């Protein structure tokens, strides 16, 4: 077992041979090679030494690379070490590599380690289960080309700082029991409530979102946020944006999810966006029904696993 820092150039050269597809390859017009290059950059980018948990286990055809990092913001928020395993690459003994990562992470003060993984990564899923990871969420990504989108408009506006109290209340009270935070029995409900409130504030004040859309009323309790990803449009060859990054609809605003997604889509079209995608849980039948009714289609699936160290 060696640290990523000791063999970074070699790993960067090796990754294209073991990575299939790319994070957004469900978008047909997208430049897949450019998307894969951006992915490799994100996996292999600079990290502070105290947050770098990337490991290389084995060599040659038996090499496994684990791209993990401690998350300083999350760790500070929850009061214990939180880390994310971003990807598992290679064809070696994945279970042994994961055990090595867990031991390393625990020594470095990590208590909570989670990872997203596609259903197609069978060896990784089997190794995660063998290493004691638990499935806590399965999500779907839906997407559509925005050409020809023609649905009725609804009275919406961009959220302001004055909306934070009611939007935070909506995020706290409109509980989705199947998202990875509410579904995880390890996480305290009080911490999850506080996280939802903090994300709303950060979306409006600290750049967590490029825009937050709400019903055009004085005290809205429904919202959705968007990330434009403009810095990637040129490389992708398509103007692709991420809708509904964070969404909540209080019971008093029932029916507004469809309206907000409709308005977000119109908003993106006005900005010249070509294609949009968003993620929801496989269990969220009502949301999937709305998305399909608005012309969004299934793009990919993903599991979220976690282990307590």
């Amino acid at each position: 077992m060696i640290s990523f820092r000791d063999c970074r150039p070699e790993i960067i050269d090796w990754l294209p041979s073991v990575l299939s597809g790319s994070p957004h390859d469900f978008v047909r017009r997208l430049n897949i090679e450019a998307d894969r290059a951006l992915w490799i950059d994100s996996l292999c980018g600079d990290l502070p030494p105290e947050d770098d948990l990337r490991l290389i286990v084995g060599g040659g055809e038996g090499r496994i690379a684990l791209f993990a990092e401690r998350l300083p913001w999350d760790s500070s928020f929850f009061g214990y070490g939180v880390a994310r395993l971003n990807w598992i690459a290679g064809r070696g003994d994945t279970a042994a590599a994961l055990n090595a990562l867990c031991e390393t992470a625990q020594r470095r003060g990590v208590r909570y380690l989670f990872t997203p993984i596609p259903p197609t990564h069978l060896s990784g899923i089997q190794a995660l289960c063998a290493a004691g990871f638990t499935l806590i969420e399965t999500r779907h990504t839906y997407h559509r080309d925005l050409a020809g989108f023609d649905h009725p408009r609804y009275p919406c506006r961009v959220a302001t700082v004055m909306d934070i109290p009611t939007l935070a209340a909506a995020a706290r009270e409109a509980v989705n029991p199947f998202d990875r935070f509410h579904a995880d029995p390890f996480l305290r409900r009080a911490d999850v409530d506080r996280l939802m409130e903090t994300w709303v504030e950060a979306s409006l004040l600290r750049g967590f979102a490029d825009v937050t859309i709400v019903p055009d009323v004085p005290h809205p309790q429904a919202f959705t946020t968007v990330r434009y990803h403009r810095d990637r449009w040129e490389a992708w060859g398509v103007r692709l944006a991420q809708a509904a990054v964070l969404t909540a609809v209080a019971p008093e605003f029932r029916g507004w999810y469809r309206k907000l997604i409709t308005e977000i889509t119109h908003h993106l079209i006005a900005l010249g966006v070509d294609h949009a995608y968003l993620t929801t849980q496989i269990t969220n039948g009502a949301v999937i029904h709305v998305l399909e009714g608005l012309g969004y289609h299934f793009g990919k699936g993903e599991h979220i696993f976690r282990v307590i160290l």
Side-chain angles (χ1 to χ4, degrees), residues 20-40:
S20 60
S22 71
H24 306 93
D25 60 7
F26 51 86
V27 180
R28 291 183 180 179
R29 290 188 292 159
L30 183 131
N31 184 327
I32 302 300
E33 293 303 319
D35 194 37
R36 187 181 292 115
L38 290 168
W39 185 20
I40 291 173

Side-chain angles (χ1 to χ4, degrees), residues 212-276:
T212 300
I213 301 294
V214 299
D216 189 10
V217 297
H219 305 290
Q221 293 190 55
F223 70 91
T224 190
T225 69
V226 178
R227 295 294 303 274
Y228 298 144
H229 298 302
R230 277 194 176 110
D231 59 330
R232 299 188 171 196
W233 287 359
E234 183 176 356
W236 279 337
V238 61
R239 288 166 290 191
L240 174 67
Q242 182 179 3
V245 179
L246 178 64
T247 302
V249 177
E252 296 83 352
F253 283 75
R254 184 174 180 177
W256 266 94
Y257 181 82
R258 180 186 179 90
K259 298 174 184 179
L260 288 170
I261 298 302
T262 300
E263 282 303 304
I264 280 290
T265 307
H266 283 298
H267 171 83
L268 293 175
I269 291 169
L271 290 177
V273 172
D274 303 314
H275 210 101

Side-chain angles (χ1 to χ4, degrees), residues 63-97:
R63 171 191 283 157
I64 292 288
L66 301 175
F67 297 91
E69 61 180 305
R70 177 183 173 273
L71 302 176
W73 189 93
D74 301 67
S75 298
S76 175
F77 182 90
F78 286 104
Y80 49 82
V82 178
R84 181 179 61 230
L85 172 58
N86 295 308
W87 193 251
I88 304 166
R91 302 182 179 90
D93 189 341
T94 307

